[in-house]
Amino acid sequence: MTGRRVVITGIGLVTALGEGARETWDALVAGRTAIGPLRAYDPSPLRTRLGAEIPDFDPSRFLSPRSMRTSTRGDQYGVAAATLAMRDAGLEERDLGHRTALYLGGNKDICQRDDSIADMEAIRGADGGPDMRKLGELARSIVPPLAYVEGLQNGGTYHISSLFGLRGPNAFYAGAADSGATAIGRAMRAIRRGEADLAVAGGYDDATNWWAMSKLDGLGVLSPRNELDVKAFRPFDREHSGSVIGDGAAILILEDRDRAVGRGAHIYAELAGYGMGNDCVRPPASAPDGRGLARAISASMSDAAVVQADCVFSHGCATALGDTSEVRALQTALGDGAARAAVTSVKPQTGHLVGGAGALNAALAALALDSGVVPATANHETPAPGCDLDIVAGAARPSRPRTALALARGLEGQAVALALTHSN
């Protein structure tokens, strides 16, 4: 370790609430929500038919036609958010070189299959099943030639690095909310260790698409309360019944503090600590005591050399076990300080961004420290049994926090905590 301090100088957000950090933040503070019935396709076969879609996103404003042909919608959200973060940080260069790192996370599984679905009828045999001989004969015309490249999980790292000339250390982390948060934590360490002076880091996902929704819908982690519409997502509430998925990306610009001060950059917050843990239980579930998350929180607080979190941007997945175990993890890690922390979840407004959710929490924690305001947890009315913390409800709270935690959990027990402090 070199002892370098790492600060956040740029925030790029693409969510169903708006494009850009200011647009999303203002909507959150105002209490607006982007959740509603899914409209991109017929969701009637699904138990959960709600989501926070981004219907009017235009990738041509951020990518070349060739890049658009070799990227999924999730990749495109990531490129857009990275571009917005660069602009926000005042970095207009297109060749940032070998001292700039790139760390990304996401939940990308496959390429976009939409163009191939109609053509699949051509390989149907006389018995109605697939004729593999026909597939072999017609595959070149049915499967797009760049489908494999488009489907690579880490495709976003190519598009962003080539766009901005990022030639430093880089990595892609696959997973749910933990992936983007891990990317940010690893980028922080790269700067601390002197491996890079600047880093582009975060996560993204297009999780409301049919393929992702059909997978998540069967796991029992999404809310089936379609009749509640915008009020279906209820973290820490007595009526919590599961998550509602959203699309989007959250990318941060991390920078060595001395470099940032030297160029006169606006500093949102200092990224001071990073910790990880694992529940080690059968997925998709959490250990009742939240042991993995408790370990991650304790490690991040120790890394940051802070003893109190003024606010917590929680994972807040709105399942009974997820919420109660998260509360227990906070109580274990923070002790009496857990009762003094203002706890919030923004997911009822943005939707659960899956691969982008942890990165979004980190971005919003930085905005909270910069603005002095903590957004409310929408739809929180009556605390669920075991969820007896100070949940910010009703309206955003102007509490001027000095320290913040951004939490993220994966579907298989992974847990990540990032500790942030006020820039002054």
Side-chain angles (χ1 to χ4, degrees):
M1 291 291 186
T2 65
R4 289 168 131 199
R5 295 170 65 183
V6 180
V7 295
I8 298 169
T9 57
I11 299 176
L13 301 181
V14 176
T15 73
L17 285 173
E19 186 178 286
R22 180 53 55 190
E23 288 77 1
T24 293
W25 180 254
D26 287 348
L28 284 169
V29 172
R32 295 197 295 274
T33 180
I35 287 175
L38 292 168
R39 302 187 186 281
Y41 51 85
D42 178 7
S44 57
L46 301 174
R47 293 173 65 249
T48 301
R49 298 184 289 278
L50 301 170
E53 298 173 300
I54 307 178
D56 54 356
F57 176 73
D58 180 8
S60 67
R61 293 180 296 119
F62 302 99
L63 295 98
S64 68
R66 178 179 176 81
S67 292
M68 287 170 57
R69 290 195 299 272
T70 56
S71 59
T72 63
R73 182 53 63 95
D75 295 331
Q76 294 164 7
Y77 292 150
V79 174
T83 302
L84 295 170
M86 286 288 193
R87 292 174 184 169
D88 187 47
L91 298 170
E92 296 300 326
E93 302 99 317
R94 283 296 184 269
D95 188 9
L96 291 171
H98 69 281
R99 297 294 300 170
T100 302
L102 177 63
Y103 289 82
L104 300 174
N107 193 45
K108 181 177 175 181
D109 285 333
I110 57 175
C111 62
Q112 302 282 18
R113 292 184 175 179
D114 304 28
D115 295 338
S116 302
I117 293 174
D119 294 329
M120 287 298 176
E121 182 67 25
I123 67 166
R124 186 185 297 275
D127 62 353
D131 186 325
M132 300 309 292
R133 181 180 181 84
K134 286 185 177 181
L135 176 61
E137 294 171 347
L138 301 174
R140 285 183 177 274
S141 62
I142 292 176
V143 180
L146 296 176
Y148 175 73
V149 176
E150 179 190 339
L152 290 172
Q153 282 190 317
N154 60 350
T157 60
Y158 162 72
H159 294 292
I160 295 173
S161 62
S162 63
L163 183 60
F164 295 104
L166 313 184
R167 304 193 302 276
N170 61 91
F172 179 85
Y173 300 91
D178 56 297
S179 63
T182 298
I184 292 171
R186 293 295 179 178
M188 178 193 77
R189 286 186 178 175
I191 295 174
R192 273 190 183 174
R193 291 169 174 164
E195 298 169 359
D197 300 322
L198 186 77
V200 180
Y204 51 85
D205 217 327
D206 56 335
T208 67
N209 74 74
W210 168 257
W211 308 105
M213 280 294 296
S214 62
K215 174 183 68 176
L216 293 168
D217 191 62
L219 292 178
V221 297
L222 304 185
S223 174
R225 301 290 304 277
N226 299 292
E227 76 281 3
L228 294 180
D229 198 46
V230 298
K231 294 185 176 294
F233 203 153
R234 310 177 72 89
F236 308 111
D237 188 80
R238 184 176 60 188
E239 300 298 321
H240 50 190
S241 59
S243 296
V244 176
I245 298 304
D247 290 339
I251 303 292
L252 305 182
I253 303 300
L254 307 182
E255 197 166 348
D256 169 54
R257 188 179 187 278
D258 290 342
R259 183 186 191 278
V261 171
R263 69 180 185 88
H266 173 72
I267 296 174
Y268 287 96
E270 181 171 348
L271 182 56
Y274 164 52
M276 300 182 73
N278 202 302
D279 281 344
C280 290
V281 295
R282 185 185 299 276
S286 306
D289 60 358
R291 58 192 179 193
L293 182 58
R295 179 178 176 82
I297 295 168
S298 296
S300 70
M301 298 283 283
S302 176
D303 191 28
V306 296
V307 296
Q308 174 64 37
D310 295 333
C311 67
V312 177
F313 281 75
S314 69
H315 182 65
C317 64
T319 64
L321 179 56
D323 286 354
T324 55
S325 64
E326 184 168 10
V327 169
R328 289 172 187 167
L330 284 164
Q331 291 170 334
T332 298
L334 302 181
D336 294 340
R340 299 192 297 273
V343 180
T344 191
S345 172
V346 300
K347 289 182 175 68
Q349 294 173 261
T350 64
H352 187 323
L353 270 55
V354 192
L360 179 63
N361 271 353
L364 298 178
L367 287 166
L369 292 173
D370 187 56
S371 67
V373 176
V374 181
T377 304
N379 306 327
H380 185 78
E381 297 173 357
T382 304
C387 295
D388 50 349
L389 295 182
D390 178 17
I391 308 298
V392 181
R397 182 184 299 177
S399 58
R400 305 207 64 80
R402 307 293 294 182
T403 58
L405 284 173
L407 308 183
R409 304 176 91 176
L411 289 169
E412 296 187 332
Q414 305 94 329
V416 181
L418 298 167
L420 296 83
T421 60
H422 194 273
S423 58
N424 293 335

